[in-house]
Amino acid sequence: MAPRSNLAGALFAHMAGLTLTHVAYKGGNPAQLDLMSGNLDMMIIQPNAKEVVTSGKLRALAVSSLQRSPDYPDVPTVAEAGIAGYQSVAWYGLVGPKNMPPDLLKKLNEETIRAVAAPSVRAVIATQGGVAVGGTPAEFADFIAAERKRYEAIVREAGMSVE
């Protein structure tokens, strides 16, 4: 699973040279309510906040992907806003046991690629602010390793622990 917003915030603080206070919530909705009521100054929020942004209840300052979002074409990326190289996006992937039979792995990969290419699946993912992609198991393993490496230093620097 993808980096959570606390990791995205820690990465943002590190790259911006800021000291931010992480406030833990039991879910995004309570945090979003505190942000709307002025109890928080900012937060990194998931794409499902489109309704509160388009309604004007929250103001999008930047998107955390490397490209502007089709949902928010006038909102700059964090990099465009001044923090070059910043990227933190939610991602999900299909995984299985390490000793999965190769023929089963091949079949699951083929079917997954076929599914994420389907217009109906892409449309549902797009409604949640996502982009459907597919690749090989090796490409996904490399991606996970790179994400882990990128966030390990941030986790250590922020003094975070796995709970």
Side-chain angles (χ1 to χ4, degrees), residues 113-146:
I113 289 172
R114 189 170 64 77
V116 299
S120 60
V121 172
R122 293 175 100 61
V124 168
I125 292 171
T127 65
Q128 299 171 16
V131 177
V133 296
T136 68
E139 290 168 336
F140 188 45
D142 290 346
F143 173 79
I144 291 171

Side-chain angles (χ1 to χ4, degrees), residues 4 22-32 34-35 39-40 43:
R4 297 178 49 94
H22 171 70
V23 180
Y25 283 86
K26 292 187 178 188
N29 288 338
Q32 191 172 295
D34 266 2
L35 182 63
N39 293 324
L40 294 176
M43 76 181 271

Side-chain angles (χ1 to χ4, degrees), residues 34-108:
D34 266 2
L35 182 63
M36 288 188 297
S37 67
N39 293 324
L40 294 176
D41 294 321
M42 59 84 68
M43 76 181 271
I44 295 179
I45 199 163
Q46 298 300 323
N48 61 1
K50 184 177 180 182
E51 184 178 313
V52 293
V53 172
T54 55
S55 71
K57 293 177 183 173
L58 290 178
R59 179 177 170 211
L61 302 175
V63 295
S64 63
S65 56
L66 291 177
Q67 299 85 27
R68 289 190 181 206
S69 167
D71 290 336
Y72 309 102
D74 297 329
V75 176
T77 66
V78 173
E80 289 174 324
I83 303 174
Y86 180 88
Q87 177 188 18
S88 184
V89 294
W91 55 264
Y92 298 89
L94 183 62
V95 297
K98 65 180 178 180
N99 59 350
M100 182 180 288
D103 57 331
L104 178 58
L105 178 61
K106 183 177 184 287
K107 179 70 172 168
L108 283 172

